[in-house]
Amino acid sequence: MAKRSSTFVLSAMCFGYAFLYIPIFLLIAYSFNDSKLATVWGGFSTRWYVELFQNEQIMAAAWLSLKIAFLTATFAVILGTMAGIAIIRYGRFKGRMLFTGMITAPMVMPEVITGLSLLLLFVSMESLLGWPAERGTTTIIIAHVTFAMAYVTVVVQSRLASIDQSIEEAAMDLGCRPLRILYDITLPMILPAIISGWLLAFTLSLDDLVIATFVTGPGASTLPMVIFSKIKLGISPDINALATIVIFLVFTGVLASSWINRKTSN
Amino acid sequence: MGIPEKQDHFRTANKSRISTLVRNILPAKKADEIGKKTILAVPYLWLSVFFLVPFFIIFQISFTEAIIARPPYTSLVEIEEGLIQIRLVTESYLMLFEDDIYWKSYLNSAWIAATSTLICFLIGYPMAYGIARAPAHTRRRLLLFIILPFWTAFILRVYAWVGILNNNGILNNILQWLGLTDTPIQFLYTDFAIYIGIVYTYLPFMILPIYTTLEKMDLSLMEASSDLGGRPVTTFMRITLPLSVPGIIAGSMLVFIPALGEFVIPALLGGDDSLMIGRVLFDEFFLNRDWPMASTVAVAMLIFLVAPIVLFNHFQSKEMEAK
């Protein structure tokens, strides 16, 4: 490769990574700023962290969001793994086109459409079946599972496609029952994909603002909804503190898991 | 010990034993079949009820009229004197063309989404290229740092830009310190801020698919080209770029489609007059409480997006089959 093009690529990469990370670093830096004005440096302070943990509204919303994300991830992993197995191992079946379409479409569907359509479904179900009588945590979980399971399916699917199917075939030839094969061979082999699918679904659920805003009812405000209404009013330094905590948790989590991955693969 | 015992066992086996064996196996087969069907049926049913049916409901409600009631729309099917009557109201669709706010925001959203996609491509392609051609151990680390921001809360990353683009934000402070401007420049609450927000949020979605195609590429093709005297630019334009088209298309769709319907970024970074269709739909629903109009806007958006979504699905399934 010519030297000129590699300097171009190198500078593009420097610019790109700086673009991605400078806002994050600024967010962290200003969370320790004593001044209420975001741009004036008033000295090092941890007062916004204290204020954050004293803010009952944020704490309640964070707890609700974590609960929703946990249940969403668990259900999404179950449904997504089933869907992934069906797509990869079942060959051609009736309605396969529709099925794979329903798996990939939620990933690219604009959130406002997913949110509106699910809300209208819940409203229609309420008038026809009497359920769900009121919207809130349950309806948010159903909505989140629906779009998160698509991501789990894709992760599980690509892992399933890459593992050696002959082990499953050997077990089948030796008279092993399909359910046993599933529990003793297939699931342990795709476990890494199931774990990353769970984490992905957890993050997606924790991140979602638009869909939750549509399908929620009175009393159930998730963390992104509370943050959104606070940001709408302008800069609030306790959100910086919250962001720093989130960034710290995510970075340690992701870096640790990639480190473990490398150790185990070596 | 075990073998004679087993032989003994077989010798005593009679017809009735065999038949019970067969009887035990058959239901087992049937159970396996049911198990196999369940694995497919459960997610199928879930997606049909919570993904497919809602679209029919949106479509249906888009043909009703807004009223003050619970739920706030008229019903499509009415029973009058024992006759089932279907009342289609096309008022919302007429509004879509008559009130210029709708088509203006469609065009504006499409323009903003397309431009942002192009900017993502221009920044993302060289980055993906650089990562794909880096040594294996650095490649892993570089890739990790592309994915990392994706795991941190989206709304907090958008919020970071509020602090930067503010009138007394960091960017304006730097510009004033450099003496480039005396009065703060309005960055926040403009279309410029929307572009920044979209590119910042969706850049990783452009980089990853392009990286995947570049990484799979057979490097000997490029060597052959340069051996035959092709200049690096020629090699890039005639081999690398055409071969990475599937990645470019997948990445572009992953940026364009969500950007078109984006609500959070225009709501937080854009001005009150910034027209984006996702925001119009949101306001139509939450501020005007006009559910039929919101549904109509959604249907029109879906029609607009059918082609990109089908294109994405096509490449996605091709990718899956290639694996």
Side-chain angles (χ1 to χ4, degrees), chain A:
Chain A
M1 275 273 97
K3 186 115 194 177
R4 200 181 39 166
S5 71
S6 68
T7 28
F8 169 70
V9 167
L10 214 63
S11 44
M13 282 174 83
C14 288
F15 172 77
Y17 280 102
F19 177 63
L20 284 177
Y21 281 92
I22 285 175
I24 293 177
F25 288 131
L26 288 173
L27 215 53
I28 297 172
Y30 279 102
S31 77
F32 295 107
N33 183 6
D34 193 48
S35 162
K36 200 174 169 69
L37 289 164
T39 47
V40 185
W41 184 257
F44 182 86
S45 151
T46 50
R47 63 184 269 216
W48 303 115
Y49 289 85
V50 178
E51 253 176 52
L52 174 72
F53 284 104
Q54 281 168 351
N55 188 326
E56 275 170 28
Q57 192 196 12
I58 291 182
M59 285 299 118
W63 178 238
L64 178 72
S65 277
L66 286 173
K67 233 170 26 185
I68 290 174
F70 182 84
L71 289 168
T72 296
T74 309
F75 286 121
V77 153
I78 296 169
L79 287 166
T81 307
M82 288 169 125
I85 289 173
I87 287 176
I88 293 295
R89 292 286 188 257
Y90 285 14
R92 300 197 176 277
F93 54 83
K94 231 175 154 188
R96 190 190 157 93
M97 273 275 279
L98 178 67
F99 191 57
T100 51
M102 287 197 296
I103 293 289
T104 40
M107 294 193 289
V108 285
M109 195 57 67
E111 289 168 317
V112 279
I113 297 184
T114 312
L116 177 67
S117 68
L118 275 163
L119 172 72
L120 296 178
L121 173 81
F122 290 137
V123 170
S124 308
M125 279 170 88
E126 191 193 341
S127 61
L128 283 176
L129 311 168
W131 183 90
E134 68 176 22
R135 293 185 295 278
T137 315
T138 318
T139 45
I140 296 176
I141 292 173
I142 291 175
H144 283 186
V145 167
T146 307
F147 78 87
M149 70 173 279
Y151 289 85
V152 177
T153 308
V154 170
V155 175
V156 166
Q157 200 179 335
S158 57
R159 171 84 188 171
L160 259 179
S162 69
I163 64 169
D164 191 358
Q165 210 178 333
S166 60
I167 301 171
E168 289 167 36
E169 279 161 7
M172 198 134 51
D173 289 345
L174 292 169
C176 195
R177 294 267 306 278
L179 207 63
R180 271 228 88 75
I181 297 177
L182 183 69
Y183 280 116
D184 290 348
I185 299 170
T186 316
L187 288 183
M189 279 175 97
I190 59 170
L191 194 63
I194 292 177
I195 294 170
S196 41
W198 192 92
L199 289 171
L200 192 57
F202 188 85
T203 315
L204 287 167
S205 166
L206 214 53
D207 242 15
D208 168 66
L209 164 70
V210 175
I211 296 171
T213 307
F214 272 101
V215 300
T216 192
S221 297
T222 61
L223 188 58
M225 285 157 73
V226 172
I227 296 174
F228 182 80
S229 55
K230 270 185 91 85
I231 299 175
K232 267 266 159 199
L233 302 174
I235 297 280
S236 55
D238 46 350
I239 299 295
N240 281 10
L242 178 70
T244 305
I245 294 171
V246 171
I247 291 164
F248 175 75
L249 289 177
V250 166
F251 278 33
T252 31
V254 172
L255 291 177
S257 75
S258 93
W259 186 74
I260 290 165
N261 255 339
R262 206 166 339 151
K263 281 274 150 182
T264 47
S265 66
N266 284 349

Side-chain angles (χ1 to χ4, degrees), chain B residues 42-156:
Chain B
V42 173
Y44 212 125
L45 206 68
W46 181 284
L47 286 172
S48 303
V49 173
F50 295 115
F51 188 72
L52 202 59
V53 172
F55 286 108
F56 290 108
I57 295 175
I58 273 205
F59 194 64
Q60 178 205 329
I61 290 175
S62 73
F63 283 104
T64 63
E65 207 174 347
I67 48 169
I68 299 169
R70 256 196 95 186
Y73 52 87
T74 55
S75 80
L76 200 61
V77 184
E78 275 168 6
I79 299 173
E80 242 170 66
E81 296 163 12
L83 286 171
I84 297 173
Q85 293 206 325
I86 295 176
R87 239 179 102 239
L88 286 182
V89 184
T90 49
E91 198 193 293
S92 308
Y93 284 90
L94 291 176
M95 277 290 277
L96 210 55
F97 294 102
E98 277 165 11
D99 196 335
D100 58 1
I101 185 175
Y102 299 109
W103 61 264
K104 266 188 186 158
S105 32
Y106 275 112
L107 285 182
N108 198 40
S109 305
W111 172 253
I112 289 180
T115 315
S116 313
T117 308
L118 184 69
I119 300 171
C120 278
F121 169 73
L122 292 177
I123 303 175
Y125 197 96
M127 287 181 80
Y129 187 90
I131 299 168
R133 299 288 175 261
H137 59 282
T138 356
R139 199 187 303 163
R140 208 175 194 160
R141 222 158 285 164
L142 288 171
L143 210 56
L144 187 69
F145 281 101
I146 294 291
I147 302 167
L148 214 46
F150 166 77
W151 293 88
T152 53
F154 158 63
I155 189 160
L156 294 174

